Amino acid sequence: VIGKAAPPALELSWLANKSEIDTQTGTLVIIFWELWCPHCKREVPVLDALYQEYHPKGLQMIGLTRMSRSISSSDLKDFITEEKVTYPIAKTGSATGQYFSVRGIPDAVVVHNGTVVWKGNPKALPTAKIAEWVGE
C-alpha cells in the first residue's frame, strides 16, 4: 500500500470533532480502530498527544471506526468525552479499510501529499518522520 495514491475523499459519517480532511495536501494520519479493542483504546491518549503537538504545525489525524460488535454512537461518544479525545473521529465503511489494506486493528496509515508513505501499528508511528513531514 506504500506508494499508493490516497483517494480524493474518504467515506465518513462524523461522530466527534468534525474537521475538513484533505487527503491530497499535507500530512494525514488515519487510525483504524474499534471501541471494543483494548489495544486500540490504549493507544488513544498517545495518539491524542501526537495530534495536539503536531496539529498546530499542520498535521491532520482521523480515527476511523466501523462501530462493529454492537457498539453504539452513545458508547463511542461517552468514551471520546471521558478520554478527552481532540482529534476527529468518524464512522466509515469497509471499503476504506480495504482500500488501505487493513487486515486487523489497530492499524494506521500516513498519507503525505496524496501518497501513502507509511503503514503499521499506531504505536509504531514514526514521530521523527511526522515532524519532518509537517516541516518541523
Side-chain angles (χ1 to χ4, degrees):
V1 75
I2 298 198
K4 186 176 187 177
L10 299 173
E11 173 193 346
L12 304 174
S13 176
W14 289 104
L15 298 166
N17 308 319
K18 183 177 178 178
S19 179
E20 293 296 321
I21 299 296
D22 183 350
T23 62
Q24 303 302 302
T25 306
T27 304
L28 168 64
V29 177
I30 305 170
I31 308 297
F32 295 89
W33 73 294
E34 296 294 335
L35 186 57
W36 53 262
C37 168
H39 307 290
C40 300
K41 288 167 64 173
R42 189 172 32 246
E43 293 304 315
V44 167
V46 175
L47 293 167
D48 201 64
L50 180 75
Y51 178 73
Q52 288 185 33
E53 180 175 354
Y54 289 102
H55 180 66
K57 298 168 182 147
L59 179 70
Q60 302 175 83
M61 182 181 289
I62 186 168
L64 297 180
T65 177
R66 290 178 47 204
M67 291 180 54
S68 57
R69 297 195 184 173
S70 302
I71 298 296
S72 70
S73 293
S74 178
D75 296 334
L76 194 63
K77 288 177 183 178
D78 288 348
F79 175 78
I80 291 165
T81 299
E82 288 168 14
E83 294 295 321
K84 299 177 178 73
V85 179
T86 60
Y87 60 88
I89 304 287
K91 181 178 179 184
T92 193
S94 60
T96 304
Q98 290 170 357
Y99 186 87
F100 290 108
S101 300
V102 174
R103 304 271 185 259
I105 55 164
D107 203 358
V109 173
V110 179
V111 175
H112 182 67
N113 292 331
T115 303
V116 176
V117 293
W118 186 90
K119 182 178 182 308
N121 190 301
K123 72 180 178 183
L125 276 164
T127 307
K129 287 298 286 180
I130 288 173
E132 180 183 315
W133 288 322
V134 297
E136 187 172 83

